[in-house]
């Protein structure tokens, strides 16, 4: 088996993984005030936040290019790869996954799987890394897919946004509801549900309380599990907040917690100051 992994640029990957010859990454463009950008090519994350702060309208993201995916698949086939796993951002926040299923049967010389990750960012990157490691260890394709399905099913991610007005700009919340929420210091705790959609998990008042609630969720999750997790914090231009949460976790004995940043694609939808916390099983 010669396995290739295709993902998109919302996945958090170490440089040495992203540059592997068996890893292929699709770009997701962002439009800000009529101009199109791709993070890492003509836009840094700092530039993104600066542009978003001054933009009168919310930046918009597009789906990855279907033509680019077809080009990559043809390149992979020509290079002699026999198997492909495509891992892209959740179908609950993008229509891309639904739109590519017909490609599975288009390349007769390869076995292709496009499982729905139901997630994005750090845990999506961990899924890519795990599949590569299993393939390097000689694990057969069907077993890799079974282990990957287990990781997808058991991954959990919770999000708190800093500014409800950002959701007003994005059409996700009424202006009146945002004003009331801000006055009452309400922090909606969001999460990825079983279909990979971001929905409200519960509403908590004040940042201090929501940090404690995140810690309680972690304790409930790990106490009920018989396997190991990678624990992660993802911040949207809110590193100090992420570090405070990691200190709280360390005080409870969780000493191996990765902190990473949202890319501009996800930050477009969550806004500046958002923070995400979650777990993904080690497979």
């Amino acid at each position: 088996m010669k396995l290739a992994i295709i993902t998109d640029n919302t996945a958090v990957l170490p440089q040495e993984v992203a540059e592997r010859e068996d890893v292929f990454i699709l770009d997701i463009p962002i439009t800000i005030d009529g101009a199109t950008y791709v993070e890492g090519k003509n836009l840094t994350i700092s530039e993104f936040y600066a542009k978003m702060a001054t933009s009168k309208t919310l930046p918009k993201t597009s789906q990855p290019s279907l033509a680019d995916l077809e080009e990559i698949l043809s390149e992979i086939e020509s290079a002699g790869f026999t198997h492909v796993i495509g891992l892209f951002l959740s179908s609950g926040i993008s229509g891309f996954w639904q739109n590519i299923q017909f490609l599975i049967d288009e390349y007769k010389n390869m076995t292709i799987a496009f499982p729905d990750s139901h997630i994005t960012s750090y845990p999506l990157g961990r899924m890519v890394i795990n599949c590569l490691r299993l393939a390097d260890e000689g694990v057969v394709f069907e077993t890799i897919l079974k282990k990957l399905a287990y990781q997808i099913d058991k991954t959990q991610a919770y999000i708190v946004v800093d500014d409800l007005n950002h959701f007003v700009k994005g059409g996700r919340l009424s202006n009146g509801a945002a004003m009331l929420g801000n006055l009452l210091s309400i922090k909606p705790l969001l999460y990825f549900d079983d279909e990979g959609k971001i929905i409200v998990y519960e509403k908590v008042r004040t940042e201090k309380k929501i940090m404690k609630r995140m810690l309680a969720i972690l304790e409930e999750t790990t106490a009920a599990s018989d396997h190991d997790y990678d624990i992660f914090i993802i911040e949207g231009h809110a590193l100090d907040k992420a570090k405070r949460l990691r200190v709280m976790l360390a005080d409870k004995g969780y000493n191996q917690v990765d902190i990473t940043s949202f890319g501009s694609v996800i930050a477009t939808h969550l806004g500046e100051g958002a923070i995400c916390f979650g777990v993904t099983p080690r497979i």
Side-chain angles (χ1 to χ4, degrees):
M1 178 182 71
K2 186 178 180 182
L3 175 67
I5 305 291
I6 311 173
T7 189
D8 60 61
N9 65 349
T10 68
V12 175
L13 293 171
Q15 185 174 356
E16 64 271 18
V17 173
E19 292 178 350
R20 284 180 53 143
E21 293 183 352
D22 50 0
V23 174
F24 301 82
I25 300 173
L26 287 170
D27 290 328
I28 299 179
I30 304 167
T31 302
I32 308 174
D33 292 332
T36 301
Y37 303 92
V38 173
E39 186 180 337
K41 294 186 175 179
N42 62 347
L43 183 72
T44 67
I45 190 63
S46 297
E47 290 170 341
F48 165 78
Y49 282 116
K51 290 179 182 295
M52 185 168 67
T54 59
S55 177
K56 293 182 179 179
T57 59
L58 192 69
K60 296 180 180 179
T61 59
S62 302
Q63 292 185 16
S65 167
L66 182 58
D68 287 349
L69 176 57
E70 291 181 288
E71 183 177 341
I72 287 173
L73 286 168
S74 295
E75 176 186 344
I76 287 172
E77 188 176 42
S78 298
F81 286 94
T82 59
H83 294 74
V84 179
I85 297 176
L87 284 165
F88 309 103
L89 74 171
S90 170
S91 67
I93 55 177
S94 170
F96 185 67
W97 180 81
Q98 289 93 336
N99 293 338
I100 64 174
Q101 296 305 306
F102 76 95
L103 291 172
I104 290 174
D105 298 320
E106 293 292 310
Y107 297 83
K108 303 302 181 184
N109 296 322
M110 298 189 297
T111 301
I112 301 173
F114 293 146
D116 188 351
S117 72
H118 288 170
I119 205 71
T120 183
S121 194
Y122 176 94
L124 180 60
R126 296 306 303 177
M127 292 172 189
V128 171
I129 291 168
N130 285 336
C131 288
L132 292 169
R133 175 180 54 78
L134 291 170
D136 290 344
E137 293 172 356
V139 177
V140 298
F141 189 67
E142 292 75 13
T143 301
I144 292 175
L145 291 180
K146 288 179 181 179
K147 289 180 177 290
L148 176 59
Y150 177 83
Q151 183 178 9
I152 291 171
D153 181 61
K154 298 301 181 181
T155 294
Q156 297 182 39
Y158 299 84
I159 307 164
V160 58
V161 297
D162 188 60
D163 184 4
L164 294 178
N165 292 319
H166 184 87
F167 271 46
V168 174
K169 290 176 69 176
R172 300 174 182 86
L173 192 67
S174 71
N175 188 51
M179 290 178 62
L180 181 61
N182 287 332
L183 285 171
L184 297 176
S185 298
I186 291 174
K187 296 286 186 180
L189 183 60
L190 313 174
Y191 83 117
F192 282 86
D193 69 5
D194 293 340
E195 297 179 352
K197 297 178 181 178
I198 300 177
I199 65 172
V200 175
Y201 182 71
E202 60 189 44
K203 297 177 182 178
V204 183
R205 290 190 62 182
T206 77
E207 180 180 307
K208 184 177 181 180
K209 288 183 178 180
I210 207 162
M211 291 285 198
K212 290 183 177 180
R213 183 68 184 110
M214 285 182 166
L215 179 57
I217 289 171
L218 173 60
E219 292 179 311
E220 293 164 5
T221 299
T222 55
S225 174
D226 58 358
H227 50 259
D228 293 329
Y229 282 102
D230 286 315
I231 303 170
F232 57 87
I233 300 170
I234 314 172
E235 51 87 19
H237 217 211
L239 184 57
D240 288 345
K241 191 186 302 184
K243 288 181 176 179
R244 288 198 300 272
L245 178 56
R246 184 163 65 179
V247 168
M248 292 176 64
L249 295 174
D251 288 342
K252 291 292 186 178
Y254 299 100
N255 296 311
Q256 294 185 335
V257 179
D258 290 332
I259 294 181
T260 189
S261 299
F262 286 116
S264 53
V265 172
I266 303 304
T268 292
H269 301 284
L270 298 181
E272 187 172 2
I275 189 167
C276 174
F277 153 82
V279 295
T280 187
R282 296 171 184 165
I283 59 171

